[in-house]
Amino acid sequence: MSRLLRTGRLVCFGWVLTLGGVAQAAEVNLYTTREPGLIRPLLDAYTARSGVKVNTVFVEKGLAERVAAEGARSQADLVMTVDIGNLIELVDRDLAQPVRSAALEAAVPAPLRDSEGRWFGLSMRARVLYADRGLSDLSAATYEELADPKWKGKVCLRSGQHPYNTALISAFLVRHGAEKTEAWLKGVKANLARKAAGGDRDVARDIAADLCEVGLANSYYVGLMRSGRGGPDQQKWGEAIKVVLPTFEGGGTHVNVSGAIVARNAPNRDEAVKLLEYLVSDEAQALYARTDYEYPVKPGAAVDPLLSAFGTLAIDTTPLVEIARNRKAASLLVDKVGFDN
């Protein structure tokens, strides 16, 4: 009763009861850069379970700018995006509020969430090695060895300035420093079979066409290709490659995250926290794996069989915050060595 008197509203079984006696369906507003089709199964499952309506606003570009421009008038409750850099930008622009939740802290390992509760990872994608099926002895592959001259003319990559690669380069920079990272970039560039361009799926395409033998790409694309979602050609590309989980020397496999924040001016804060807690539940984590071919962040959550076939993922412990902070330095090194030229 004290909460009702204090706020004038009480949420009960998905309904908001007001002092005026009128019942309204509870709802939560989600701003996201994630394609609606990728997250709709999770949101529908949440609504079916809780009765809370999830209003989704898809923002392809300029998510932080939009939330900032809306200011105190913003209707955003939860803001979901991909890439640690985008999450840190939301925090740095003071667009997130801290959340303390036993459920979130139990489900999301400390390296995959903010120590002050301002952002939480929801799923992971690993930067893996796509390789020609005829290659052997790749089980101990490292990111560092891509600069080895033995791969000259055999490596395919997308642009070094793409966020997927700048995150990896930034992690390399944090581990090895600027001098070794620059030398590594020069070595990888010297090994390229073609100009660094295209997308991750194009790496698989070019391996299938015998243009190159290895390349780096995100893990979930394999599921999207092999499932046939991208059409028969992409299915053939996915089947033409094998996937290896490379590591840093003395470290683990580089991962990035999709994640979310509770917006600073969230009008439905409690509902936003409940949705965030659901997204790291066993049910939602399994849906992430099954729908998007992403790795769950929750330890012990079900991994899609296609991903588990790659082997056990041992994530690198380089702090995601440090990776985000060094993205600009990594980008400058990419330009310095002319990686994309």
Side-chain angles (χ1 to χ4, degrees):
M1 179 61 71
S2 60
R3 182 184 174 206
L4 176 59
L5 293 174
R6 185 170 63 250
T7 65
R9 62 201 297 271
L10 178 66
V11 179
C12 183
F13 300 109
W15 291 83
V16 176
L17 307 179
T18 68
L19 285 176
V22 179
Q24 298 174 330
E27 58 185 36
V28 60
N29 302 314
L30 172 68
Y31 284 28
T32 180
T33 61
R34 304 222 66 183
E35 290 288 346
L38 294 178
I39 59 172
R40 179 48 55 188
L42 288 92
L43 304 181
D44 288 346
Y46 178 69
T47 297
R49 169 180 287 271
S50 67
V52 177
K53 180 182 179 183
V54 183
N55 303 312
T56 307
V57 178
F58 174 60
V59 184
E60 185 174 6
K61 295 180 180 179
L63 178 62
E65 289 78 4
R66 173 165 177 170
V67 178
E70 291 178 352
R73 300 175 293 104
S74 180
Q75 293 300 300
D77 294 312
L78 201 65
V79 182
M80 179 190 295
T81 188
V82 295
D83 187 81
I84 183 58
N86 293 325
L87 290 169
I88 296 299
E89 181 184 8
L90 291 165
V91 171
D92 286 348
R93 297 182 71 156
D94 198 27
L95 300 175
Q97 60 173 289
V99 172
R100 289 302 177 195
S101 161
L104 288 167
E105 291 169 11
V108 185
L112 302 177
R113 56 179 164 86
D114 179 50
S115 60
E116 297 181 35
R118 294 167 298 180
W119 62 265
F120 294 88
L122 300 175
S123 63
M124 296 183 294
R125 60 278 307 277
R127 202 74 180 142
V128 301
L129 192 73
Y130 289 4
D132 184 283
R133 285 190 173 275
L135 294 177
S136 58
D137 299 325
L138 293 175
S139 59
T142 66
Y143 298 110
E144 286 86 351
E145 74 176 77
L146 282 177
D148 191 310
K150 71 179 181 181
W151 295 115
K152 188 172 181 62
K154 298 177 181 180
V155 178
C156 284
L157 287 175
R158 73 189 307 162
S159 167
Q161 290 292 8
H162 191 277
Y164 296 163
N165 281 336
T166 53
L168 174 67
I169 296 164
S170 179
F172 198 103
L173 181 61
V174 173
R175 278 189 156 271
H176 295 298
E179 185 177 347
K180 288 186 178 180
T181 303
E182 181 178 343
W184 178 71
L185 284 170
K186 288 178 179 177
V188 176
K189 177 179 170 59
N191 288 341
L192 293 177
R194 56 157 170 78
K195 180 178 178 180
D200 280 5
R201 280 179 259 208
D202 294 331
V203 173
R205 177 199 65 190
D206 291 346
I207 291 174
D210 293 327
L211 181 62
C212 47
E213 293 186 4
V214 296
L216 295 176
N218 277 354
S219 50
Y220 64 87
Y221 283 116
V222 183
L224 296 175
M225 288 187 292
R226 290 182 180 174
S227 68
R229 289 191 199 176
D233 285 342
Q234 290 189 16
Q235 190 167 14
K236 291 178 183 177
W237 305 342
E239 296 296 342
I241 61 170
K242 64 179 177 181
V243 180
V244 178
L245 297 175
T247 64
F248 286 107
E249 293 175 355
T253 299
H254 171 70
V255 300
N256 208 323
V257 294
S258 72
I261 66 157
V262 174
R264 167 67 63 185
N265 298 300
N268 303 294
R269 182 189 185 279
D270 291 348
E271 286 79 7
V273 173
K274 289 176 183 176
L275 174 56
L276 195 53
E277 290 173 339
Y278 169 76
L279 291 173
V280 297
S281 68
D282 288 337
E283 178 181 73
Q285 290 286 286
L287 280 171
Y288 265 119
R290 190 163 63 246
T291 303
D292 302 341
Y293 300 103
E294 295 185 323
Y295 285 98
V297 295
K298 185 175 184 179
V303 177
D304 186 271
L306 187 146
L307 295 182
S308 61
F310 303 160
T312 301
L313 175 67
I315 67 173
D316 189 58
T317 56
T318 303
L320 292 179
V321 171
E322 288 302 308
I323 291 173
R325 301 292 185 216
N326 283 274
R327 291 284 278 272
K328 183 176 181 179
S331 176
L332 290 173
L333 282 176
V334 170
D335 281 345
K336 183 178 180 180
V337 305
F339 193 87
D340 291 346
N341 297 338

